[in-house]
Amino acid sequence: MLLLNRILLGVGLGFTNQSIPLYLSEMAPPQYRGAINNGFELCISIGILIANLINYGVEKIAGGWGWRISLSLAAVPAAFLTVGAIYLPETPSFIIQRRGGSNNVDEARLLLQRLRGTTRVQKELDDLVSATRTTTTGRPFRTILRRKYRPQLVIALLVPFFNQVTGINVINFYAPVMFRTIGLKESASLMSAVVTRVCATAANVVAMVVVDRFGRRKLFLVGGVQMILSQAMVGAVLAAKFQEHGGMEKEYAYLVLVIMCVFVAGFAWSWGPLTYLVPTEICPLEIRSAGQSVVIAVIFFVTFLIGQTFLAMLCHLKFGTFFLFGGWVCVMTLFVYFFLPETKQLPMEQMEQVWRTHWFWKRIVDEDAAGEQPREEAAGTIALSSTSTTT
């Protein structure tokens, strides 16, 4: 029964992680899209912090009730999420794209006016209508495989993969086990998980404040360098001070905790929130749902692999585990530097111009556009002929 309920919980997490970042990105104005979407990661961080506090509080409850209380309390935020979703409106792009009839554009205009707090929304509405009219949404997973969407597919695959091989879920899943291994007692190791999560939550707030000012690339790069240095320092301390029979001096155990807090903060204002933000804003409407589905599937699959293998890695590689994760952070930081364009404050409907000006992706996109141009011109001729006949 416990296993069945965990499977159902996983299905629900998959649905919400796929839909919420998409919804936030489509509803947010371009100039605040980063901050609003990063609020998703902030809420996740707050939820993990509350869960860690609950775990710390119920640790000493006798009779096996502690873990039962911890698990059952997950129903409380799930109930809030379910009830709140009933009152959420559809996004303007969904209204234009899916709902037939002559009033769908007017309905989208009214919703945009409510969301933006102004009646001057015609430019944004025109962009939405234009993007929707050139969209074929019947088979998004087949569409995303086309050459013209190669940049989006590569980023949708690699960004979540790199997100997980930073080693962040090592901290999330096994922080109490790890800190107990390096010398902290059980209650202290549980509290260390709370401390690292407090740092992550504070860093998420920082990310919300600065992401639309400094951009996505700068946060990716600064956070990457911060995580590289942190992983290297943790590996060095463990290599020098971790004893063969297990454990280490308390002073060095607390030093590892401090360095881990620096690592978690670096992740929480860069790769943590931006993994959900960037794929949602770079994918055009016809592949947006498929792109976000790929992101979430990769995150959960790699999370599963790391969750099943980390303790074995820690036993065999010991301090080398952190050098391994640090090497992955080097690779992903170089990937961002060379292959990820800046997308701050750019309307999602105008994102195509980003790829046409990028030093690497423009060759792929332009080659595909050249091959498709005759078909597009033919389609335009047919549409024009149809319009003339109707007139």
Side-chain angles (χ1 to χ4, degrees), residues 15 68 89 127 151 181 194 246 256 259 287 305 319 362 369 372:
F15 285 151
R68 289 181 170 87
D127 289 340
T181 301
V194 174
V256 171
I259 300 173
I287 62 166
L305 291 181
F319 60 87
K362 67 180 181 180
E372 289 195 353

Side-chain angles (χ1 to χ4, degrees), residues 157 160-162 164-170 173-174 296-314 321 324-325 328:
L157 286 169
F161 172 78
F162 287 144
Q164 292 303 298
V165 296
T166 58
I168 187 60
N169 273 327
V170 172
F173 290 166
Y174 296 118
I296 301 305
V298 171
I299 285 178
F300 283 153
F301 179 70
V302 182
T303 297
F304 171 77
L305 291 181
I306 292 177
Q308 299 303 309
T309 59
F310 170 70
L311 288 182
M313 283 194 297
L314 190 61
T321 303
L324 175 64
F325 285 128
W328 276 114

